[in-house]
Coordinates of all heavy atoms in Angstrom, one line a residue:
M1 N -12.7 -27.8 29.2 CA -12.1 -26.4 29.1 C -10.6 -26.6 28.7 O -9.9 -27.4 29.3 CB -12.2 -25.7 30.4 CG -13.4 -24.9 30.5 SD -13.4 -23.8 31.9 CE -14.5 -24.7 33.0
A2 N -10.2 -25.9 27.6 CA -8.9 -26.1 27.2 C -7.9 -25.2 28.0 O -8.2 -24.1 28.3 CB -8.8 -25.7 25.7
D3 N -6.8 -25.7 28.3 CA -5.8 -25.0 29.1 C -5.0 -24.1 28.3 O -4.5 -23.1 28.7 CB -4.9 -26.0 29.9 CG -5.5 -26.3 31.3 OD1 -6.3 -25.5 31.8 OD2 -5.1 -27.3 31.9
V4 N -4.8 -24.5 27.0 CA -3.9 -23.7 26.1 C -4.8 -22.8 25.2 O -5.4 -23.3 24.3 CB -3.0 -24.6 25.3 CG1 -2.0 -23.8 24.5 CG2 -2.3 -25.6 26.2
P5 N -4.8 -21.5 25.5 CA -5.5 -20.6 24.6 C -4.8 -20.5 23.2 O -3.5 -20.4 23.2 CB -5.5 -19.3 25.3 CG -4.5 -19.4 26.4 CD -4.1 -20.8 26.5
N6 N -5.5 -20.5 22.2 CA -4.9 -20.4 20.8 C -4.2 -19.1 20.6 O -3.3 -19.0 19.8 CB -6.0 -20.6 19.8 CG -6.3 -22.1 19.6 OD1 -5.5 -23.0 19.9 ND2 -7.4 -22.4 19.1
N7 N -4.7 -18.1 21.3 CA -4.1 -16.7 21.1 C -2.7 -16.6 21.5 O -1.9 -15.8 21.0 CB -4.9 -15.7 21.8 CG -6.3 -15.5 21.2 OD1 -6.5 -15.9 20.1 ND2 -7.2 -14.9 21.9
S8 N -2.3 -17.5 22.4 CA -0.9 -17.4 22.9 C 0.1 -17.9 21.9 O 1.3 -17.6 22.0 CB -0.8 -18.1 24.2 OG -0.8 -19.5 24.0
V9 N -0.4 -18.7 20.9 CA 0.5 -19.2 19.9 C 0.6 -18.3 18.8 O -0.3 -18.1 18.0 CB 0.0 -20.6 19.4 CG1 1.0 -21.2 18.4 CG2 -0.2 -21.5 20.6
Q10 N 1.7 -17.6 18.7 CA 1.9 -16.7 17.6 C 2.4 -17.4 16.3 O 3.2 -18.2 16.4 CB 3.0 -15.6 18.0 CG 2.4 -14.5 18.8 CD 3.3 -13.3 18.8 OE1 4.4 -13.4 18.5 NE2 2.8 -12.2 19.2
V11 N 1.8 -16.9 15.2 CA 2.2 -17.5 14.0 C 3.6 -16.9 13.6 O 3.7 -15.6 13.4 CB 1.2 -17.2 12.9 CG1 1.6 -17.8 11.5 CG2 -0.2 -17.7 13.3
A12 N 4.5 -17.7 13.4 CA 5.9 -17.2 13.0 C 5.8 -16.7 11.6 O 5.5 -17.4 10.7 CB 6.9 -18.3 13.1
K13 N 6.1 -15.4 11.5 CA 6.1 -14.7 10.2 C 7.4 -14.7 9.5 O 7.6 -15.0 8.3 CB 5.6 -13.3 10.3 CG 4.1 -13.2 10.1 CD 3.7 -11.8 9.8 CE 2.3 -11.7 9.2 NZ 2.0 -10.4 8.8
G14 N 8.4 -14.4 10.3 CA 9.8 -14.2 9.7 C 10.8 -15.0 10.5 O 10.4 -15.7 11.4
P15 N 12.0 -14.9 10.1 CA 13.1 -15.6 10.8 C 13.3 -14.9 12.1 O 13.0 -13.7 12.3 CB 14.2 -15.5 9.8 CG 14.0 -14.3 9.0 CD 12.5 -14.2 8.9
P16 N 14.0 -15.5 13.0 CA 14.3 -14.9 14.3 C 15.4 -13.8 14.1 O 16.3 -14.0 13.2 CB 14.8 -16.0 15.2 CG 15.2 -17.1 14.3 CD 14.4 -17.0 13.0
C17 N 15.3 -12.8 14.9 CA 16.3 -11.7 14.8 C 17.7 -12.3 15.3 O 17.7 -12.8 16.4 CB 15.9 -10.5 15.6 SG 17.1 -9.3 15.9
P18 N 18.7 -12.1 14.6 CA 20.0 -12.5 15.0 C 20.5 -11.8 16.3 O 21.4 -12.3 17.0 CB 21.0 -12.2 13.8 CG 20.1 -11.8 12.7 CD 18.8 -11.4 13.3
T19 N 20.0 -10.6 16.5 CA 20.4 -9.9 17.7 C 19.7 -10.2 18.9 O 20.3 -10.5 20.0 CB 20.3 -8.4 17.3 OG1 21.0 -8.1 16.1 CG2 20.9 -7.5 18.5
C20 N 18.3 -10.2 18.8 CA 17.5 -10.4 20.1 C 16.9 -11.8 20.1 O 16.4 -12.2 21.1 CB 16.5 -9.3 20.3 SG 15.2 -9.3 19.0
G21 N 16.9 -12.4 18.9 CA 16.3 -13.8 18.9 C 14.8 -13.9 18.7 O 14.3 -15.0 18.7
R22 N 14.1 -12.8 18.7 CA 12.7 -12.8 18.6 C 12.3 -13.0 17.1 O 12.9 -12.4 16.2 CB 12.1 -11.6 19.2 CG 12.3 -11.6 20.7 CD 11.2 -10.7 21.4 NE 11.8 -9.5 21.9 CZ 11.1 -8.6 22.6 NH1 9.8 -8.8 22.8 NH2 11.6 -7.5 23.1
T23 N 11.1 -13.6 17.0 CA 10.6 -13.8 15.6 C 10.2 -12.5 15.0 O 9.4 -11.7 15.6 CB 9.4 -14.8 15.6 OG1 9.9 -16.0 16.2 CG2 9.0 -15.1 14.2
L24 N 10.6 -12.2 13.8 CA 10.3 -10.9 13.2 C 8.8 -10.9 12.8 O 8.3 -11.9 12.4 CB 11.2 -10.7 12.0 CG 12.7 -10.6 12.3 CD1 13.5 -10.7 11.0 CD2 13.0 -9.4 13.0
L25 N 8.2 -9.8 13.0 CA 6.8 -9.6 12.7 C 6.5 -9.4 11.2 O 5.5 -9.7 10.7 CB 6.2 -8.5 13.5 CG 6.2 -8.7 15.0 CD1 5.6 -7.4 15.7 CD2 5.3 -9.9 15.4
T26 N 7.5 -8.8 10.6 CA 7.3 -8.6 9.1 C 8.6 -8.9 8.4 O 9.7 -8.8 9.0 CB 7.0 -7.1 8.9 OG1 7.1 -6.9 7.5 CG2 7.9 -6.2 9.6
T27 N 8.5 -9.4 7.2 CA 9.7 -9.7 6.4 C 10.0 -8.6 5.5 O 10.7 -8.7 4.5 CB 9.4 -11.0 5.6 OG1 8.2 -10.9 4.9 CG2 9.3 -12.2 6.5
R28 N 9.4 -7.4 5.7 CA 9.5 -6.3 4.7 C 10.6 -5.3 5.2 O 11.2 -4.6 4.5 CB 8.2 -5.6 4.6 CG 8.0 -5.1 3.2 CD 6.6 -4.4 3.1 NE 5.5 -5.3 3.3 CZ 4.4 -5.0 3.9 NH1 4.3 -3.8 4.5 NH2 3.4 -5.9 4.1
S29 N 10.7 -5.3 6.6 CA 11.6 -4.3 7.2 C 13.0 -4.8 7.2 O 13.3 -6.0 7.5 CB 11.1 -4.0 8.6 OG 12.1 -3.1 9.2
A30 N 14.0 -3.9 6.9 CA 15.4 -4.3 7.0 C 15.9 -4.3 8.4 O 16.9 -4.8 8.7 CB 16.2 -3.3 6.2
L31 N 15.0 -3.7 9.3 CA 15.4 -3.7 10.7 C 14.5 -4.6 11.5 O 13.4 -4.9 11.2 CB 15.3 -2.3 11.2 CG 16.1 -1.2 10.5 CD1 15.7 0.2 11.0 CD2 17.5 -1.4 10.5
C32 N 15.0 -5.0 12.7 CA 14.2 -5.9 13.6 C 13.1 -5.0 14.2 O 13.3 -3.9 14.5 CB 15.1 -6.4 14.7 SG 14.2 -7.2 16.0
N33 N 11.9 -5.6 14.2 CA 10.8 -4.9 14.8 C 10.9 -4.7 16.3 O 10.2 -3.9 16.9 CB 9.5 -5.7 14.5 CG 9.4 -6.2 13.1 OD1 9.4 -7.4 12.8 ND2 9.2 -5.3 12.2
W34 N 11.7 -5.5 16.9 CA 11.8 -5.5 18.3 C 13.0 -4.7 18.8 O 12.7 -3.8 19.7 CB 12.0 -7.0 18.8 CG 10.9 -7.9 18.4 CD1 11.0 -8.8 17.4 CD2 9.6 -8.0 19.0 NE1 9.8 -9.5 17.3 CE2 8.9 -9.0 18.3 CE3 9.0 -7.3 20.0 CZ2 7.6 -9.3 18.6 CZ3 7.7 -7.7 20.3 CH2 7.0 -8.7 19.6
C35 N 14.2 -4.9 18.3 CA 15.3 -4.2 18.9 C 15.9 -3.2 17.9 O 16.8 -2.4 18.3 CB 16.4 -5.2 19.3 SG 17.1 -6.1 17.9
G36 N 15.4 -3.2 16.7 CA 15.8 -2.2 15.7 C 17.2 -2.4 15.1 O 17.7 -1.6 14.4
A37 N 17.7 -3.6 15.3 CA 19.0 -3.9 14.8 C 18.8 -4.4 13.3 O 17.8 -4.9 12.9 CB 19.6 -5.1 15.5
V38 N 19.8 -4.1 12.5 CA 19.8 -4.5 11.1 C 20.0 -6.0 11.0 O 20.8 -6.6 11.7 CB 20.9 -3.8 10.3 CG1 20.9 -4.3 8.9 CG2 20.8 -2.3 10.4
I39 N 19.1 -6.6 10.3 CA 19.2 -8.1 10.2 C 20.2 -8.4 9.1 O 20.1 -8.1 8.0 CB 17.8 -8.7 9.8 CG1 16.8 -8.5 10.9 CG2 17.9 -10.2 9.4 CD1 15.6 -7.7 10.6
K40 N 21.3 -9.0 9.6 CA 22.4 -9.3 8.8 C 22.2 -10.7 8.1 O 22.8 -11.7 8.5 CB 23.7 -9.3 9.5 CG 24.1 -7.9 9.8 CD 25.2 -7.8 10.8 CE 25.5 -6.4 11.2 NZ 26.1 -6.3 12.5
D41 N 21.3 -10.7 7.1 CA 21.0 -11.9 6.4 C 20.7 -11.5 5.0 O 19.7 -10.9 4.7 CB 19.7 -12.6 7.0 CG 19.5 -13.9 6.4 OD1 19.8 -14.1 5.2 OD2 19.0 -14.8 7.1
E42 N 21.6 -11.9 4.1 CA 21.5 -11.4 2.7 C 20.2 -11.9 2.1 O 19.5 -11.1 1.4 CB 22.7 -12.0 1.9 CG 23.2 -10.9 0.9 CD 24.5 -11.4 0.3 OE1 25.6 -11.3 1.0 OE2 24.5 -11.8 -0.8
A43 N 19.8 -13.1 2.3 CA 18.6 -13.7 1.7 C 17.4 -12.9 2.2 O 16.5 -12.6 1.5 CB 18.5 -15.2 2.0
Y44 N 17.4 -12.6 3.5 CA 16.3 -11.9 4.1 C 16.2 -10.5 3.6 O 15.2 -10.0 3.2 CB 16.5 -11.9 5.7 CG 15.5 -10.9 6.3 CD1 14.2 -11.4 6.6 CD2 15.8 -9.6 6.5 CE1 13.3 -10.5 7.2 CE2 14.9 -8.7 7.0 CZ 13.6 -9.2 7.4 OH 12.7 -8.3 7.9
Q45 N 17.4 -9.8 3.5 CA 17.4 -8.4 3.0 C 16.9 -8.4 1.6 O 16.2 -7.4 1.2 CB 18.8 -7.9 3.1 CG 19.3 -7.6 4.6 CD 18.5 -6.5 5.2 OE1 17.7 -5.8 4.6 NE2 18.7 -6.3 6.5
Q46 N 17.3 -9.4 0.8 CA 16.9 -9.4 -0.6 C 15.4 -9.5 -0.7 O 14.7 -8.8 -1.5 CB 17.6 -10.6 -1.3 CG 17.8 -10.3 -2.8 CD 18.6 -11.4 -3.4 OE1 19.2 -12.3 -2.7 NE2 18.7 -11.4 -4.7
R47 N 14.8 -10.4 0.1 CA 13.4 -10.6 0.1 C 12.7 -9.4 0.6 O 11.6 -9.0 0.1 CB 13.0 -11.8 1.0 CG 11.8 -12.5 0.5 CD 11.5 -13.8 1.2 NE 11.6 -13.7 2.6 CZ 11.5 -14.7 3.5 NH1 11.4 -15.9 3.0 NH2 11.6 -14.5 4.8
A48 N 13.2 -8.8 1.6 CA 12.6 -7.6 2.2 C 12.6 -6.5 1.2 O 11.6 -5.8 1.0 CB 13.4 -7.1 3.4
A49 N 13.7 -6.3 0.4 CA 13.8 -5.3 -0.6 C 12.8 -5.6 -1.7 O 12.1 -4.6 -2.2 CB 15.2 -5.2 -1.2
E50 N 12.6 -6.8 -2.0 CA 11.7 -7.2 -3.1 C 10.2 -6.9 -2.6 O 9.4 -6.3 -3.4 CB 11.8 -8.7 -3.4 CG 12.8 -9.0 -4.5 CD 13.1 -10.4 -4.6 OE1 12.2 -11.3 -4.3 OE2 14.2 -10.8 -5.1
E51 N 10.0 -7.2 -1.4 CA 8.6 -6.9 -0.9 C 8.3 -5.4 -0.8 O 7.2 -5.0 -1.1 CB 8.4 -7.6 0.5 CG 8.2 -9.1 0.4 CD 7.6 -9.6 1.7 OE1 6.9 -8.9 2.3 OE2 8.0 -10.7 2.1
R52 N 9.3 -4.7 -0.5 CA 9.2 -3.2 -0.4 C 8.9 -2.7 -1.8 O 8.1 -1.8 -2.0 CB 10.4 -2.6 0.2 CG 10.4 -2.7 1.7 CD 11.3 -1.6 2.4 NE 12.7 -1.8 1.8 CZ 13.6 -2.5 2.4 NH1 13.3 -3.2 3.4 NH2 14.8 -2.6 1.8
A53 N 9.7 -3.2 -2.8 CA 9.6 -2.7 -4.2 C 8.2 -3.0 -4.7 O 7.6 -2.2 -5.4 CB 10.7 -3.3 -5.0
L54 N 7.7 -4.2 -4.3 CA 6.4 -4.7 -4.8 C 5.4 -3.8 -4.3 O 4.5 -3.3 -5.0 CB 6.2 -6.1 -4.4 CG 5.3 -7.0 -5.2 CD1 6.0 -7.4 -6.5 CD2 4.8 -8.2 -4.5
Q55 N 5.4 -3.5 -3.0 CA 4.4 -2.6 -2.4 C 4.5 -1.2 -2.9 O 3.5 -0.5 -3.2 CB 4.7 -2.6 -0.9 CG 3.4 -2.3 -0.1 CD 3.6 -1.9 1.3 OE1 4.7 -1.4 1.6 NE2 2.6 -2.1 2.1
D56 N 5.8 -0.8 -3.2 CA 6.0 0.6 -3.8 C 5.3 0.7 -5.1 O 4.7 1.7 -5.4 CB 7.5 0.8 -3.9 CG 8.0 2.0 -3.1 OD1 7.5 2.2 -2.0 OD2 8.8 2.7 -3.7
A57 N 5.5 -0.4 -5.9 CA 4.9 -0.3 -7.3 C 3.4 -0.3 -7.2 O 2.8 0.4 -8.0 CB 5.4 -1.6 -8.1
E58 N 2.9 -1.0 -6.3 CA 1.4 -1.0 -6.1 C 0.9 0.3 -5.7 O -0.1 0.8 -6.2 CB 1.0 -2.1 -5.1 CG 0.6 -3.4 -5.7 CD 0.4 -4.4 -4.6 OE1 -0.4 -4.1 -3.7 OE2 0.9 -5.5 -4.7
L59 N 1.7 0.9 -4.8 CA 1.3 2.2 -4.3 C 1.3 3.3 -5.4 O 0.5 4.1 -5.6 CB 2.2 2.6 -3.2 CG 1.6 3.4 -2.0 CD1 0.7 2.6 -1.2 CD2 2.7 4.1 -1.2
Q60 N 2.4 3.2 -6.2 CA 2.6 4.1 -7.3 C 1.5 4.0 -8.3 O 1.0 5.0 -8.8 CB 4.0 3.9 -8.0 CG 5.1 4.1 -7.1 CD 5.9 5.4 -7.5 OE1 6.0 5.6 -8.7 NE2 6.5 6.1 -6.6
Q61 N 1.1 2.8 -8.6 CA 0.1 2.5 -9.6 C -1.3 3.1 -9.1 O -2.0 3.8 -9.8 CB -0.1 1.0 -9.8 CG -0.7 0.8 -11.2 CD -0.8 -0.7 -11.5 OE1 -0.6 -1.5 -10.6 NE2 -1.0 -1.1 -12.7
Q62 N -1.5 2.9 -7.8 CA -2.7 3.4 -7.2 C -2.7 5.0 -7.3 O -3.8 5.6 -7.6 CB -2.8 3.0 -5.7 CG -3.5 1.7 -5.6 CD -3.7 1.3 -4.1 OE1 -3.2 2.0 -3.3 NE2 -4.4 0.2 -3.9
L63 N -1.6 5.6 -7.0 CA -1.5 7.0 -7.1 C -1.7 7.5 -8.5 O -2.4 8.5 -8.7 CB -0.1 7.5 -6.6 CG 0.1 7.6 -5.1 CD1 1.5 7.9 -4.7 CD2 -0.8 8.7 -4.6
R64 N -1.2 6.8 -9.5 CA -1.3 7.2 -10.8 C -2.8 7.1 -11.3 O -3.3 8.0 -11.9 CB -0.5 6.3 -11.7 CG 0.2 7.0 -12.9 CD 1.1 6.1 -13.6 NE 2.2 5.7 -12.8 CZ 2.9 4.6 -13.0 NH1 2.5 3.7 -13.9 NH2 3.9 4.3 -12.2
I65 N -3.5 6.0 -10.8 CA -4.9 5.9 -11.2 C -5.7 7.0 -10.5 O -6.6 7.6 -11.2 CB -5.4 4.5 -10.7 CG1 -4.8 3.4 -11.6 CG2 -6.9 4.5 -10.7 CD1 -5.0 2.0 -11.0
E66 N -5.3 7.3 -9.3 CA -6.0 8.4 -8.6 C -5.8 9.7 -9.3 O -6.8 10.5 -9.5 CB -5.5 8.5 -7.2 CG -6.6 8.2 -6.1 CD -6.0 8.1 -4.7 OE1 -5.5 9.2 -4.3 OE2 -6.0 7.1 -4.2
Q67 N -4.6 10.0 -9.7 CA -4.3 11.2 -10.4 C -5.0 11.3 -11.7 O -5.6 12.4 -12.0 CB -2.8 11.3 -10.7 CG -2.0 11.9 -9.5 CD -0.5 12.0 -9.7 OE1 -0.1 11.3 -10.7 NE2 0.2 12.7 -8.9
M68 N -5.1 10.2 -12.4 CA -5.8 10.2 -13.7 C -7.3 10.5 -13.5 O -7.9 11.2 -14.2 CB -5.6 8.8 -14.4 CG -4.4 8.8 -15.3 SD -4.0 7.1 -15.7 CE -5.4 6.7 -16.7
E69 N -7.8 9.9 -12.4 CA -9.3 10.1 -12.2 C -9.5 11.5 -11.7 O -10.5 12.1 -12.1 CB -9.7 9.1 -11.1 CG -10.0 7.8 -11.7 CD -10.7 6.8 -10.7 OE1 -10.9 7.2 -9.6 OE2 -10.9 5.7 -11.1
N70 N -8.6 12.0 -10.9 CA -8.7 13.4 -10.5 C -8.7 14.4 -11.7 O -9.5 15.3 -11.8 CB -7.6 13.8 -9.6 CG -7.9 13.4 -8.1 OD1 -9.1 13.0 -7.8 ND2 -6.9 13.3 -7.3
A71 N -7.8 14.1 -12.6 CA -7.7 14.9 -13.8 C -8.9 14.9 -14.6 O -9.4 15.9 -15.1 CB -6.5 14.5 -14.6
R72 N -9.4 13.6 -14.8 CA -10.6 13.5 -15.6 C -11.8 14.2 -14.9 O -12.6 14.9 -15.6 CB -10.9 12.0 -15.7 CG -11.5 11.6 -17.1 CD -11.7 10.1 -17.2 NE -12.4 9.6 -16.1 CZ -12.5 8.3 -15.7 NH1 -11.8 7.5 -16.5 NH2 -13.1 7.9 -14.7
L73 N -12.0 13.9 -13.6 CA -13.1 14.5 -12.9 C -13.0 16.0 -12.9 O -13.9 16.8 -13.0 CB -13.1 14.0 -11.5 CG -13.6 12.6 -11.3 CD1 -13.5 12.1 -9.9 CD2 -15.0 12.4 -11.8
G74 N -11.7 16.5 -12.9 CA -11.5 17.9 -12.9 C -11.9 18.5 -14.2 O -12.6 19.5 -14.3
V75 N -11.6 17.8 -15.3 CA -12.0 18.3 -16.7 C -13.5 18.3 -16.8 O -14.2 19.2 -17.2 CB -11.4 17.4 -17.8 CG1 -12.0 17.7 -19.1 CG2 -9.9 17.7 -17.8
L76 N -14.1 17.2 -16.3 CA -15.6 17.0 -16.4 C -16.2 18.1 -15.6 O -17.2 18.7 -16.0 CB -16.0 15.7 -15.9 CG -15.8 14.5 -16.9 CD1 -16.2 13.2 -16.3 CD2 -16.6 14.8 -18.2
G77 N -15.7 18.4 -14.4 CA -16.2 19.4 -13.5 C -16.2 20.8 -14.2 O -17.1 21.5 -14.1
R78 N -15.1 21.0 -14.9 CA -14.9 22.3 -15.6 C -15.9 22.4 -16.7 O -16.5 23.5 -16.9 CB -13.5 22.4 -16.2 CG -12.8 23.6 -15.5 CD -11.4 23.8 -16.0 NE -11.0 23.1 -17.1 CZ -9.8 22.5 -17.3 NH1 -8.9 22.7 -16.3 NH2 -9.4 21.9 -18.3
L79 N -16.1 21.3 -17.5 CA -17.1 21.3 -18.6 C -18.5 21.6 -18.0 O -19.3 22.4 -18.6 CB -17.1 20.0 -19.3 CG -15.9 19.7 -20.2 CD1 -15.9 18.3 -20.8 CD2 -15.8 20.8 -21.3
K80 N -18.8 21.0 -16.9 CA -20.1 21.2 -16.3 C -20.3 22.6 -15.9 O -21.4 23.2 -16.0 CB -20.3 20.2 -15.1 CG -20.9 18.9 -15.5 CD -21.2 18.1 -14.2 CE -21.4 16.6 -14.5 NZ -21.4 15.8 -13.3
K81 N -19.2 23.2 -15.4 CA -19.3 24.5 -14.9 C -19.5 25.5 -16.0 O -20.3 26.5 -15.9 CB -18.0 24.9 -14.2 CG -18.1 25.5 -12.9 CD -16.8 25.7 -12.2 CE -16.8 26.6 -11.0 NZ -15.4 26.8 -10.5
N82 N -18.9 25.2 -17.2 CA -19.0 26.1 -18.3 C -20.3 26.0 -19.0 O -20.8 27.0 -19.6 CB -17.9 25.8 -19.3 CG -16.5 26.3 -18.8 OD1 -16.4 27.1 -18.0 ND2 -15.4 25.7 -19.4
R83 N -20.9 24.8 -18.9 CA -22.2 24.6 -19.5 C -23.3 25.2 -18.7 O -23.5 24.8 -17.6 CB -22.4 23.1 -19.7 CG -23.6 22.9 -20.7 CD -23.9 21.4 -20.7 NE -22.8 20.6 -21.2 CZ -22.6 19.3 -21.0 NH1 -23.5 18.7 -20.3 NH2 -21.6 18.7 -21.5
K84 N -24.0 26.2 -19.2 CA -25.0 26.9 -18.4 C -26.3 26.0 -18.4 O -26.6 25.4 -19.4 CB -25.4 28.2 -19.0 CG -24.4 29.3 -18.5 CD -24.4 30.5 -19.5 CE -23.2 31.4 -19.2 NZ -22.9 32.3 -20.3
P85 N -26.9 25.9 -17.3 CA -28.1 25.1 -17.2 C -29.2 25.6 -18.1 O -29.5 26.7 -18.2 CB -28.5 25.2 -15.7 CG -27.7 26.3 -15.1 CD -26.5 26.5 -16.0
G86 N -29.8 24.6 -18.9 CA -30.9 25.0 -19.7 C -30.4 25.4 -21.1 O -31.1 25.3 -22.1
H87 N -29.1 25.7 -21.3 CA -28.6 26.1 -22.6 C -28.6 25.0 -23.6 O -28.9 25.2 -24.7 CB -27.2 26.7 -22.4 CG -26.6 27.2 -23.6 ND1 -26.9 28.4 -24.1 CD2 -25.7 26.6 -24.5 CE1 -26.2 28.6 -25.2 NE2 -25.5 27.6 -25.5
N88 N -28.3 23.8 -23.1 CA -28.2 22.7 -24.0 C -29.6 22.1 -24.3 O -29.7 21.4 -25.3 CB -27.3 21.6 -23.4 CG -25.9 21.6 -24.0 OD1 -25.6 22.6 -24.8 ND2 -25.1 20.7 -23.6
V89 N -30.5 22.4 -23.5 CA -31.8 21.8 -23.7 C -32.6 22.7 -24.7 O -33.5 23.5 -24.3 CB -32.6 21.6 -22.4 CG1 -33.8 20.7 -22.6 CG2 -31.7 21.0 -21.3
D90 N -32.2 22.6 -25.9 CA -32.8 23.5 -27.0 C -33.5 22.6 -28.0 O -32.8 21.9 -28.8 CB -31.7 24.4 -27.6 CG -32.4 25.6 -28.3 OD1 -33.6 25.5 -28.6 OD2 -31.7 26.6 -28.5
P91 N -34.8 22.6 -28.1 CA -35.5 21.8 -29.1 C -35.2 22.2 -30.5 O -35.5 21.4 -31.5 CB -37.0 21.9 -28.7 CG -37.0 23.2 -27.9 CD -35.7 23.4 -27.3
L92 N -34.7 23.3 -30.8 CA -34.5 23.8 -32.1 C -33.2 23.4 -32.7 O -32.9 23.5 -33.9 CB -34.6 25.4 -32.2 CG -36.0 25.9 -31.9 CD1 -35.9 27.4 -31.8 CD2 -37.0 25.5 -32.9
V93 N -32.3 22.8 -31.9 CA -31.0 22.4 -32.4 C -31.0 21.2 -33.3 O -31.8 20.3 -33.0 CB -30.0 22.1 -31.2 CG1 -28.7 21.5 -31.7 CG2 -29.7 23.4 -30.5
Ligands
ZN101 ZN1 16.0 -7.9 17.3

């Protein structure tokens, strides 16, 4: 039986907070996850801003794709609505 559970060992994600000294859970936030203090580390802030911008761009792209699909589905839905059932199935055309 192992005395040391693996769960107790937290994977260090970010640098320690200069204010409270605890390891940051995310490198994306400009504030400490624990005490809410601004992390006064230029390199960290730069990386955090980059990560936020990256996520932002991904989110924007997803929104754009969704909007495009919505617009397309909306048009298709309108076309289907305008087309009366049976009208197009004409053997004489
Ligand atoms: Zn802190």
Side-chain angles (χ1 to χ4, degrees):
M1 272 190 256
D3 267 341
V4 184
N6 279 338
N7 288 346
S8 72
V9 182
Q10 273 199 346
V11 181
K13 267 198 161 185
C17 168
T19 305
C20 68
R22 290 206 249 185
T23 302
L24 298 168
L25 294 177
T26 171
T27 53
R28 215 180 294 140
S29 174
L31 305 174
C32 170
N33 313 110
W34 302 102
C35 65
V38 179
I39 291 119
K40 284 168 188 158
D41 186 329
E42 219 171 284
Y44 170 85
Q45 292 291 355
Q46 210 172 350
R47 208 171 51 184
E50 271 170 26
E51 283 199 33
R52 282 200 304 271
L54 208 76
Q55 210 197 21
D56 238 42
E58 263 174 49
L59 214 76
Q60 295 250 327
Q61 205 178 12
Q62 272 183 353
L63 275 175
R64 218 173 296 150
I65 288 168
E66 242 173 66
Q67 273 179 346
M68 271 166 64
E69 279 188 0
N70 275 347
R72 215 179 48 197
L73 287 175
V75 169
L76 282 177
R78 241 180 13 219
L79 286 175
K80 267 186 196 169
K81 227 176 170 183
N82 285 342
R83 194 187 297 159
K84 277 161 194 161
H87 184 80
N88 260 6
V89 194
D90 198 338
L92 293 176
V93 170

